């Protein structure tokens, strides 16, 4: 199993999640999230994390359902 590593610091009742992007990728990302109607990077990242975690949980649930129904 792959080990997940992260550096999080709780600040003001929440966690700060960091990542590094090169300047070109960051500029492109800002343009895209602005075009999608986001007003700040934090709201985009929060929604993205929620969406991806939900998708992973749904996939895992589907696999478990297949295992249970194939018996």
């Amino acid at each position: 199993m792959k080990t997940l590593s992260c550096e999080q610091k709780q600040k003001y009742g929440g966690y700060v999640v960091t990542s590094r992007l090169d300047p070109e990728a960051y500029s492109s990302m800002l343009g895209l999230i602005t075009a999608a109607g986001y007003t700040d990077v934090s709201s985009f990242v929060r929604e993205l994390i929620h969406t991806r975690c939900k998708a992973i949980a749904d996939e895992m649930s589907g696999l478990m359902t297949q295992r249970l129904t194939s018996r």
Side-chain angles (χ1 to χ4, degrees):
M1 181 176 214
K2 192 174 187 180
T3 302
L4 178 67
S5 68
C6 60
E7 295 180 25
Q8 297 179 342
K9 297 177 186 172
Q10 191 170 14
K11 185 176 181 179
Y12 306 112
Y15 287 92
V16 175
V17 181
T18 62
S19 183
R20 296 191 190 279
L21 297 171
D22 62 58
E24 293 82 17
Y26 186 73
S27 293
S28 296
M29 180 189 79
L30 288 180
L32 291 170
I33 67 173
T34 300
Y38 292 94
T39 57
D40 56 64
V41 174
S42 293
S43 60
F44 171 76
V45 171
R46 280 192 302 270
E47 185 175 325
L48 178 65
I49 290 170
H50 169 76
T51 301
R52 286 302 302 142
C53 286
K54 183 179 182 318
I56 292 166
D58 289 345
E59 289 172 19
M60 290 177 71
S61 177
L63 290 173
M64 184 58 81
T65 299
Q66 282 179 337
R67 286 183 182 172
L68 292 172
T69 57
S70 67
R71 290 182 176 189

